[in-house]
Amino acid sequence: MSETISKLLLKGETLLQDSPDHLLQVIGVLESYGEVLDAYSINLIDQGQRQFLNPFPMFRFCNGQISFNRLYRHLLGDRINFEYAEYCQKAMFWHSTGGLDVYFNSDEFLSICKEVIEYKSQEDTLVKLLNPMFKEFLPELIRSSATTHLLGVFWRVMSDLFVDLGRKYRDGTINNIKEVVAFIRTCLVAAAGKTVSYKVEISGRSFDILPATANLNFLVDVAVPYVEAVFLRGMPFLGTVSFNAQAQQISPDQSQFKYGALYADPLPTMGAGIPPSLLMQDMYRHLPQDLYDWYKYHGRGEADMKMQICISFQKAMFCVTNGAIAGTFPYPLSTTVQEEQTANQAYAKAWAGRLAEARIDTLPNLKGREFNSLRLA
C-alpha cells in the first residue's frame, strides 16, 4: 500500500478517486468546516489578546461578550464547541515541532518573557505572587498564548480557503477532486512565504512576543506542525486506549503517536479528541443543504449522520494533506535531474509510509488500485 501511495504522489494524482459523491462530500464538509473554523479562529485570536497571562481563563470562550443568556446557552451546549479548538492547540503545543519550538527555547524569547512578566507584575498581584514561586509557569503560559494566536491565524487562512473553495464549486469553477487538491495546493503555496508574528498590549505598552525578526514562516512553522500534531500524531483519548503503562497501548515516544484525525475511528464518543466528535457536531450545524440531503439517504440517515460526517471529513483531510504534500515537494515533479527525482522519491516515500497506516478505508478505491497494479504486474 505504501508503494501505491508513493507512486500516486509522484505522478501528481489524487489519493481520493474522483466521483460525484466524493466531490459533494469533500466540498460540503469543507464548506461547513470553513464556517466552524471562522468561529474557532476569532476565539483563538481573542484568547491570545484578552486572556494573555491569565492563569484562570474561565470565560475564554466568550470573546469578551459575557451575559447571562450567553452563559446559559453555553451550559446547554447551544454553541460552537471551542473545546475542539483547544484540543488542537494543546496538541500543537505538546508535540512542539518546527521552528516555533526552536524559537521558544531561544535566549531572545526567554528575555522577552522576563520583560513581559516583570511589567505585568507591576499591575497584577497574582502574577507577581506566582512568578517567584513557579519560575517556569508564566513563560509556559506565554508559549501557550503564542501557539493559540498562531493557530488562530492559521485557521483564519484555512477558513477563507475552504469557503472560497465551496463558492468556486457552486459557480462551476471546480468540478472534480483533482481540481480541489490543486486549489488547496495553490492557496497553501501562495501563503507559504507569509511571516507570522504575535504582539500584545499591556496597559498601553506593546510587546512583540513573536517579533517579525524571528522569521517564523506560515507554512514551515505553523501549517506543517499543525498537520503533524493534529492530522497525524494527536493525543490518546480517554475511552479509546488504555492509559495503563503495563498495557503498553500508548508509545512512550511521541513521534510514534498515531491518534490524529487521519487515524481516527468514526465512533460517537462526543469528545474533543479522537475521533473529533465535537467538531462533527459543529459541522452538522453548518452543513450545506445538498450534503445534508445526501446523508439522509445514505447510511442510516439522521441516526448516524455525525459518523458519516466524520468519514467524509477524513476524505476531505486526505485531500488537504494531498495538496500540502504536492505543494512541499523539494523539486517540481516534472524535473529530469536524477538527484532531484531521488529527493522527490524519498519525500513521497516518507509520507506514504505514514499515510499507509491511516484510515485509508475512507479511500475506497485505493485498495482497488493496488490490487489492479499487482494483477497487471
Side-chain angles (χ1 to χ4, degrees):
M1 183 57 66
S2 176
E3 185 177 350
T4 302
I5 295 174
S6 181
K7 287 179 179 178
L8 290 174
L9 294 175
L10 288 168
K11 289 180 180 179
E13 296 186 22
T14 60
L15 300 176
L16 179 66
Q17 194 167 11
D18 184 45
S19 75
D21 282 351
H22 284 166
L23 185 61
L24 174 62
Q25 290 179 67
V26 168
I27 294 292
V29 296
L30 288 182
E31 272 188 299
S32 60
Y33 190 41
E35 296 290 340
V36 172
L37 288 188
D38 176 60
Y40 288 172
S41 172
I42 291 171
N43 179 252
L44 289 177
I45 291 174
D46 179 82
Q47 282 192 48
Q49 295 296 326
R50 202 183 303 272
Q51 305 298 334
F52 182 75
L53 273 183
N54 179 2
F56 306 105
M58 294 177 58
F59 302 107
R60 62 192 180 281
F61 297 149
C62 295
N63 295 345
Q65 302 169 3
I66 303 172
S67 66
F68 176 79
N69 183 53
R70 187 180 182 92
L71 292 175
Y72 182 68
R73 289 174 55 197
H74 185 95
L75 292 172
L76 290 179
D78 182 17
R79 61 183 174 89
I80 290 286
N81 291 294
F82 293 114
E83 288 86 351
Y84 177 70
E86 192 169 72
Y87 165 84
C88 292
Q89 184 271 340
K90 289 185 182 301
M92 282 187 68
F93 186 52
W94 189 47
H95 286 296
S96 59
T97 57
L100 181 61
D101 187 54
V102 174
Y103 184 71
F104 280 162
N105 292 308
S106 68
D107 291 337
E108 180 182 355
F109 181 77
L110 294 177
S111 175
I112 292 171
C113 289
K114 182 179 179 181
E115 182 182 5
V116 170
I117 292 167
E118 287 178 354
Y119 187 80
K120 181 73 171 176
S121 296
Q122 296 175 15
E123 63 170 26
D124 193 316
T125 305
L126 181 58
V127 170
K128 185 176 182 178
L129 289 173
L130 287 172
N131 186 39
M133 295 171 63
F134 308 100
K135 286 291 185 181
E136 299 300 322
F137 178 64
L138 295 179
E140 193 84 344
L141 275 186
I142 296 176
R143 292 187 184 95
S144 181
S145 291
T147 307
T148 297
H149 175 82
L150 292 188
L151 179 56
V153 170
F154 172 70
W155 272 342
R156 175 74 274 140
V157 172
M158 299 309 291
S159 171
D160 295 342
L161 187 160
F162 294 146
V163 170
D164 194 28
L165 174 66
R167 191 180 300 117
K168 289 184 179 297
Y169 166 73
R170 301 198 182 281
D171 68 18
T173 306
I174 287 180
N175 300 288
N176 55 59
I177 294 295
K178 190 164 188 175
E179 290 177 351
V180 170
V181 173
F183 179 80
I184 293 170
R185 175 193 178 279
T186 300
C187 291
L188 288 175
V189 169
K194 179 181 178 182
T195 299
V196 293
S197 59
Y198 175 40
K199 180 183 295 185
V200 298
E201 188 170 299
I202 303 174
S203 299
R205 181 177 170 184
S206 182
F207 291 90
D208 286 316
I209 306 301
L210 299 177
T213 54
N215 294 318
L216 295 172
N217 180 275
F218 174 84
L219 183 64
V220 176
D221 300 311
V222 184
V224 172
Y226 173 82
V227 171
E228 179 72 31
V230 179
F231 283 16
L232 299 170
R233 294 190 187 183
M235 294 186 287
F237 195 67
L238 288 170
T240 58
V241 293
S242 171
F243 276 68
N244 185 334
Q246 293 178 335
Q248 297 183 341
Q249 289 186 0
I250 299 174
S251 172
D253 182 0
Q254 288 176 230
S255 68
Q256 299 302 310
F257 277 20
K258 298 181 178 68
Y259 305 107
L262 295 182
Y263 296 90
D265 297 322
L267 303 171
T269 63
M270 295 318 299
I274 55 166
S277 307
L278 290 182
L279 173 61
M280 300 309 118
Q281 182 171 312
D282 288 339
M283 292 170 66
Y284 172 78
R285 292 159 61 102
H286 294 83
L287 280 182
Q289 190 61 46
D290 52 0
L291 183 56
Y292 178 84
D293 293 339
W294 189 87
Y295 284 140
K296 283 177 66 177
Y297 299 102
H298 290 78
R300 298 199 304 274
E302 287 277 2
D304 71 339
M305 196 170 287
K306 291 187 178 73
M307 290 181 65
Q308 292 300 319
I309 293 172
C310 185
I311 294 170
S312 298
F313 179 71
Q314 285 180 318
K315 291 178 181 179
M317 290 304 100
F318 272 109
C319 290
V320 173
T321 304
N322 206 160
I325 295 171
T328 52
F329 267 104
Y331 302 98
L333 295 180
S334 58
T335 181
T336 56
V337 179
Q338 181 61 47
E339 292 80 4
E340 295 180 355
Q341 289 180 341
T342 301
N344 281 348
Q345 289 166 3
Y347 188 73
K349 184 178 180 180
W351 271 104
R354 302 185 77 178
L355 295 178
E357 298 180 42
R359 289 299 304 268
I360 56 173
D361 55 325
T362 61
L363 309 174
N365 297 295
L366 194 56
K367 288 187 176 181
R369 291 180 188 178
E370 183 184 54
F371 175 76
N372 289 333
S373 65
L374 290 172
R375 185 174 59 182
L376 290 172

